[in-house]
Amino acid sequence: MAGRSKKSTKKFEKNHLKDTIEKRKEFAKIKQRQQTKAKKKARNASENVRVSDDDEKSAVPDSGTGKADPFSRMSVDGFFQGGFELPEKKKDKPMSKKKEAVRNLGKRKRDALQTAEEDNSDSTTGVEDGSEFGDEEPSSAADRDLGTHKGDLDALAEKDPEFYKYLKENDAELLDFEDDLDLDEVDEVSGAEENPKKRRIKDKKSQKDEEQGAEVGADEEGSEVTIALVKKWKTTMSEQHSLRAMRQAVLAFRAAAYINSEGSKDHKYSISSPEVYHQLLLLTLEHVPNVLAHHLPAKESTTGKVRIATDSKKYRTLTPLLKSHATSVQYLLENLSDSPTIKLTLSSLIPLLPYLLSFKKVLKSLIKTTVNIWSDPSNTEAIRITAFLLIRRLAVISDTSLREAVLKITYQGIVKGSRNTNTHTLAAINVMKNSAAELWGLDLEVGYTTGFTYIRQLAIHLRTSITQPTKDSYKAIYNWQYTHSLDFWSRVLSTHCSPTTSAKPQSSSPLQPLIYPLVQITLGALRLIPTPMYFPLRFHLTRSLLRLSRATNTYIPLAPSLIEVLTSPELSKAPKASTLKPLDFTTALHAPKSYLRTRVYQDSLGAQLTELLAEFFGCWAKHIAFPELVIPPTVLLKRWLKAASTTSLSSRPSSASASSKKAKKQQGGNRNAKVNASVALLLQKIDLNARWIEARRRAVTFGPGNRAAVDAFLNEVPLADTPLGAFVVGMRKQQEERERVLKEGRTDEQGYEDRGRGEERRGAVVDENEHDDEEINEDEEGGSE
């Protein structure tokens, strides 16, 4: 029973948890205001009590000594008529130096505390006060609700400690009702860090220096930031690790980040020089993480978990400063356009992530901005790699709930970034999918949850398109986003369910059950519209399934869908001549109507089909059942090859007038020797490989029931040593060489276009200059006349 939740806990989670959390959030907004006012009220009460005690003592004559207060028998009129000269008192016994020092010290402490609290009341970084005056008492209803809420939490901790522990782990901010400190208390912490070895009472000279330094700091606030001030902050932060200088730099950085916003005039600092702006950004982004690491060092375990003393007073003091800085950095990232600055800003966030783990809302907003940068193909590769390092770092050190949010936001970024796919963005999208697939292996349980959710969503879209067909219902499936989504999940499962890359056996992977639904959805989408126009999309999905089959050793029947393309009219009938350029299948989901039934399209289909069939049979080239596996496809391929290569005579004349004409010989089939020769070569390699397997398996001594021996058959033999495997390896090299040549051609073409635009611009400038010269000459001639 200890490991299970109580019935009351489950009932509370179902009916009251959401309202309770919202209520706590409302109370959390006013807690700092309540605490500040309570402090002021208590201080005023204590001062009033002290003053009243002093008045009572002064009113009662001292019976022991017989001395009376000179003002005790004086009326108010007499006091004002006598002037403002104070009567002389007899000097008391001199106080000892030790007691006098203690009294002076207490006085200084009270004065410092009062000054700090007054500064806190005027600070703009704290919680906004709803009343006009600071001494105004809060409403009794809010106090009563807040006290009731605290009592409910205490009762919950006693009755159900397990649920209270769950809330503390998942929403610690709502349960934290301790005294929070404002940004101005960073100065007190910084002052305490100046001499950590011994706490001594400063003499008058040091006290004057401190007061002068405080006056200088006060003068700096609310002024314009200069180069000298930035250098001073840099020196203090780098040499002394000053929290006070860090606070001032963060406030100035906030003003710099919001410099173009509407409320930029409300900040304490102002920046007017571009050089100051640049130096301030460099200072804050480079030195703030170092100062935090000095005062709050993060300890990382071998499992990747990071521990920071979040219960310390110093961390609670820095909490508003961290939130403010993280918000400023996020706003800056959303408005930056310079690549080096974006990269530097992202790099500075990586060491700050352990200090922001307690602020889940801030982190979720920050990770959304980072994912938008990472998923934008227009950004440079260095920026996108840095953004991914930040995403991965957060996924490693975060807890389960935050890691799930990171995976969901990352997948949404993939779907958003793959909307526009062309020759220039395809490489960036593939890098994005490959890098994101790694995140799903950090926590396989969370990866299975998110994978199941989004694969089920893809299945719902497909089912809706099939059961509720409309004119445009297929467009929800036949688009780049859906295609890239299926391809991404095939990469995820291929990476983390492969027996060669995983240290655990294949059956132990939690992602293994997702293979079957993904294959079924992909096959359903592949055959949704079986027209020749969408053969390029069929080839894209077939490559995704081939990757999954090759990595996980899962047999997927892809031969029927490929042979269906082979028997279509595009490859079985004679094409028509065309001067179109070859279709690029890597960046095309469908073929334009002008390509249908053309020789160019038929040649491209034949090359793609031969390659995919060879890859499919190559996945099982070493399997002991390969000869039996290829019998049905081989029969169909031979039948198609015979029909495509035969010739037929025209029909006999049916009338006497037509009998005198010669019978015309008409060639049948597809009239494409190139495609027919490639299919014939593939059949030859398949036959050779089947004979090679039969020769090797004659010597085996085990039966089909011994699954371990069947799986281990020819595992030591490389794929290139098999007849079909050598053919597949050669085709891959030819394909790589072809892609390299095409890439170079596209690069040269882009260079020619750029140079052509430059020449056009230069020509336009020359024409304008000549036109201006002609006008000047005409004016001169007119003047001479």
Side-chain angles (χ1 to χ4, degrees):
M1 296 296 293
R4 299 180 180 178
S5 301
K6 295 182 180 181
K7 186 176 180 180
S8 59
T9 302
K10 295 181 179 179
K11 187 176 180 180
F12 179 79
E13 291 177 356
K14 181 179 180 181
N15 299 327
H16 305 289
L17 180 59
K18 184 177 180 180
D19 297 336
T20 304
I21 291 177
E22 292 179 356
K23 188 176 181 181
R24 290 172 187 168
K25 290 180 180 178
E26 294 177 359
F27 292 145
K29 293 180 181 178
I30 63 171
K31 63 179 181 181
Q32 188 172 4
R33 182 179 63 192
Q34 301 284 347
Q35 293 156 2
T36 303
K37 293 179 180 179
K39 288 180 182 179
K40 291 183 179 180
K41 186 177 180 180
R43 187 180 68 252
N44 295 334
S46 62
E47 290 179 356
N48 293 334
V49 171
R50 186 171 62 253
V51 172
S52 62
D53 292 342
D54 294 341
D55 293 341
E56 291 177 359
K57 291 180 182 180
S58 62
V60 178
D62 192 353
S63 59
T65 59
K67 299 177 182 179
D69 189 0
F71 296 101
S72 60
R73 298 180 181 180
M74 186 180 295
S75 63
V76 177
D77 297 335
F79 173 76
F80 283 103
Q81 291 175 1
F84 292 97
E85 295 181 359
L86 297 178
E88 296 182 357
K89 295 183 180 181
K90 294 184 178 180
K91 296 183 179 179
D92 297 334
K93 294 182 179 181
M95 187 179 297
S96 61
K97 294 183 179 180
K98 183 176 181 180
K99 292 183 178 179
E100 185 177 1
V102 171
R103 187 180 67 179
N104 294 336
L105 177 62
K107 184 177 181 180
R108 286 199 302 271
K109 285 186 176 180
R110 289 193 299 271
D111 295 341
L113 180 61
Q114 183 176 0
T115 305
E117 290 180 351
E118 290 176 358
D119 294 340
N120 288 342
S121 64
D122 297 335
S123 176
T124 59
T125 57
V127 179
E128 296 182 358
D129 196 349
S131 60
E132 183 179 358
F133 301 100
D135 295 337
E136 197 176 53
E137 295 184 358
S139 61
S140 60
D143 293 340
R144 183 168 58 254
D145 293 341
L146 187 60
T148 305
H149 180 54
K150 292 182 179 179
D152 294 341
L153 287 179
D154 296 338
L156 179 64
E158 295 177 359
K159 294 181 180 179
D160 197 348
E162 296 180 359
F163 181 62
Y164 185 81
K165 183 179 179 182
Y166 169 80
L167 290 178
K168 189 174 182 180
E169 292 176 354
N170 291 272
D171 208 344
E173 298 181 29
L174 301 179
L175 300 180
D176 187 11
F177 284 93
E178 298 180 0
D179 294 340
D180 288 341
L181 303 178
D182 201 12
L183 285 177
D184 292 333
E185 296 188 5
V186 178
D187 297 340
E188 298 180 6
V189 179
S190 178
E193 293 292 334
E194 290 179 0
N195 191 4
K197 296 182 179 180
K198 296 181 180 180
R199 293 183 178 179
R200 299 177 180 177
I201 302 175
K202 297 181 180 180
D203 53 2
K204 295 182 179 180
K205 183 177 180 180
S206 62
Q207 185 177 0
K208 290 181 180 179
D209 296 340
E210 184 179 0
E211 291 177 356
Q212 293 177 0
E215 292 177 358
V216 173
D219 294 338
E220 291 175 355
E221 294 187 1
S223 60
E224 183 177 352
V225 181
T226 60
I227 292 291
L229 185 58
V230 174
K231 290 182 179 180
K232 179 182 177 182
W233 289 342
K234 183 177 181 180
T235 304
T236 310
M237 292 172 65
S238 59
E239 296 178 358
Q240 302 178 8
H241 302 284
S242 173
L243 289 176
R244 183 180 303 171
M246 185 188 74
R247 173 185 176 271
Q248 295 172 354
V250 168
L251 293 178
F253 176 81
R254 184 175 182 84
Y258 290 88
I259 193 170
N260 294 325
S261 62
E262 297 179 356
S264 59
K265 298 181 180 180
D266 300 335
H267 299 287
K268 291 185 177 181
Y269 294 96
S270 60
I271 297 106
S272 59
S273 172
E275 181 65 21
V276 174
Y277 180 85
H278 179 68
Q279 295 296 331
L280 180 61
L281 290 187
L282 293 179
L283 167 68
T284 311
L285 296 177
E286 292 178 358
H287 292 279
V288 167
N290 298 333
V291 176
L292 288 175
H294 175 78
H295 291 280
L296 291 171
K299 299 179 181 179
E300 185 172 0
S301 62
T302 56
T303 58
K305 299 298 180 181
V306 179
R307 295 182 180 179
I308 295 178
T310 56
D311 297 334
S312 63
K313 178 182 178 182
K314 189 175 296 185
Y315 182 82
R316 294 196 300 269
T317 303
L318 295 175
T319 294
L321 193 69
L322 289 172
K323 287 184 177 180
S324 175
H325 184 59
T327 307
S328 302
V329 172
Q330 178 192 350
Y331 185 83
L332 183 66
L333 281 175
E334 293 176 351
N335 296 275
L336 281 177
S337 58
D338 183 55
S339 298
T341 308
I342 296 176
K343 184 176 181 298
L344 177 62
T345 307
L346 291 172
S347 302
S348 68
L349 279 174
I350 296 178
L352 290 179
L353 291 178
Y355 304 96
L356 302 175
L357 290 178
S358 301
F359 319 128
K360 293 186 178 180
K361 291 183 178 179
V362 176
L363 274 181
K364 288 180 180 179
S365 301
L366 186 62
I367 204 64
K368 287 181 180 178
T369 304
T370 307
V371 168
N372 290 336
I373 296 174
W374 168 71
S375 61
D376 189 0
S378 62
N379 290 326
T380 61
E381 186 176 358
I383 292 178
R384 301 173 75 243
I385 291 175
T386 307
F388 174 73
L389 292 178
L390 191 150
I391 298 170
R392 188 184 185 280
R393 177 63 176 170
L394 181 59
V396 170
I397 66 176
S398 59
D399 57 358
T400 302
S401 61
L402 191 56
R403 187 179 294 117
E404 183 177 359
V406 170
L407 294 182
K408 290 182 178 180
I409 296 173
T410 303
Y411 178 74
Q412 294 171 2
I414 293 173
V415 176
K416 181 181 178 181
S418 61
R419 182 187 301 272
N420 298 323
T421 302
N422 50 46
T423 306
H424 306 288
T425 62
L426 182 61
I429 293 174
N430 289 332
V431 172
M432 180 172 59
K433 290 188 291 186
N434 289 329
S435 57
E438 180 187 354
L439 299 179
W440 266 258
L442 299 177
D443 191 341
L444 294 178
E445 299 295 337
V446 177
Y448 172 79
T449 303
T450 55
F452 177 82
T453 301
Y454 288 116
I455 291 177
R456 180 176 177 272
Q457 185 179 7
L458 295 174
I460 292 174
H461 286 303
L462 180 61
R463 184 187 63 183
T464 304
S465 179
I466 296 175
T467 57
Q468 301 176 5
T470 59
K471 183 179 180 180
D472 298 331
S473 61
Y474 72 96
K475 292 182 180 180
I477 308 299
Y478 279 19
N479 56 68
W480 275 117
Q481 290 178 309
Y482 196 91
T483 304
H484 282 301
S485 298
L486 292 175
D487 184 71
F488 169 71
W489 290 116
S490 74
R491 293 173 189 262
V492 171
L493 299 182
S494 301
T495 303
H496 303 295
C497 296
S498 176
T500 57
T501 58
S502 178
K504 297 181 180 181
Q506 178 182 354
S507 58
S508 64
S509 176
L511 300 178
Q512 183 71 22
L514 297 178
I515 295 178
Y516 178 77
L518 179 65
V519 171
Q520 294 298 318
I521 295 170
T522 308
L523 291 176
L526 184 141
R527 292 183 173 178
L528 181 63
I529 302 180
T531 58
M533 180 180 294
Y534 289 98
F535 282 164
L537 184 140
R538 177 176 296 206
F539 293 157
H540 282 293
L541 299 181
T542 301
R543 294 182 190 278
S544 301
L545 293 179
L546 280 174
R547 182 193 304 110
L548 183 61
S549 177
R550 188 186 305 112
T552 61
N553 291 334
T554 303
Y555 177 76
I556 302 174
L558 296 174
S561 61
L562 294 176
I563 295 178
E564 184 179 346
V565 176
L566 191 66
T567 56
S568 65
E570 293 294 325
L571 287 173
S572 59
K573 293 185 178 181
K576 59 183 179 181
S578 175
T579 58
L580 298 172
K581 64 179 182 179
L583 182 66
D584 188 4
F585 280 79
T586 59
T587 57
L589 282 182
H590 64 89
K593 293 183 178 180
S594 59
Y595 278 85
L596 299 180
R597 303 297 298 273
T598 61
R599 182 62 176 260
V600 175
Y601 191 50
Q602 190 179 73
D603 291 342
S604 301
L605 286 178
Q608 293 285 326
L609 190 62
T610 306
E611 179 188 354
L612 292 176
L613 284 173
E615 290 285 350
F616 170 71
F617 291 119
C619 293
W620 311 102
K622 298 189 299 179
H623 200 272
I624 195 172
F626 181 80
E628 290 76 19
L629 175 67
V630 299
I631 290 177
T634 302
V635 172
L636 294 176
L637 289 176
K638 289 181 178 180
R639 187 179 301 170
W640 176 87
L641 185 61
K642 182 179 180 180
S645 305
T646 57
T647 58
S648 61
L649 294 177
S650 60
S651 59
R652 295 292 181 179
S654 58
S655 62
S657 60
S659 61
S660 61
K661 297 181 180 180
K662 296 182 179 179
K664 294 182 179 179
K665 190 176 182 181
Q666 182 181 5
Q667 185 179 2
N670 57 8
R671 299 182 187 179
N672 196 327
K674 181 180 178 181
V675 175
N676 297 343
S678 62
V679 174
L681 181 60
L682 177 62
L683 280 172
Q684 181 181 359
K685 297 299 181 181
I686 293 174
D687 186 59
L688 289 176
N689 197 84
R691 295 179 183 179
W692 185 79
I693 292 293
E694 290 176 352
R696 295 297 186 277
R697 73 180 184 183
R698 288 194 186 100
V700 301
T701 57
F702 54 85
N706 191 352
R707 187 57 183 269
V710 169
D711 294 337
F713 180 73
L714 296 180
N715 273 346
E716 299 81 6
V717 179
L719 180 63
D721 292 346
T722 63
L724 184 59
F727 177 68
V728 172
V729 171
M731 291 187 65
R732 291 175 183 173
K733 292 181 180 180
Q734 294 178 2
Q735 181 65 22
E736 292 176 358
E737 182 66 20
R738 192 180 302 111
E739 291 178 356
R740 185 185 64 81
V741 172
L742 290 175
K743 185 177 180 180
E744 292 178 355
R746 284 193 294 265
T747 304
D748 295 340
E749 184 179 356
Q750 184 68 24
Y752 292 149
E753 292 179 356
D754 295 340
R755 285 193 293 270
R757 295 192 195 99
E759 292 177 357
E760 290 178 359
R761 286 194 292 268
R762 286 193 295 271
V765 172
V766 171
D767 293 340
E768 291 178 359
N769 294 334
E770 292 179 353
H771 181 67
D772 294 340
D773 294 339
E774 291 177 358
E775 291 180 352
I776 293 173
N777 294 332
E778 291 177 359
D779 294 339
E780 292 178 353
E781 292 176 358
S784 61
E785 291 177 356

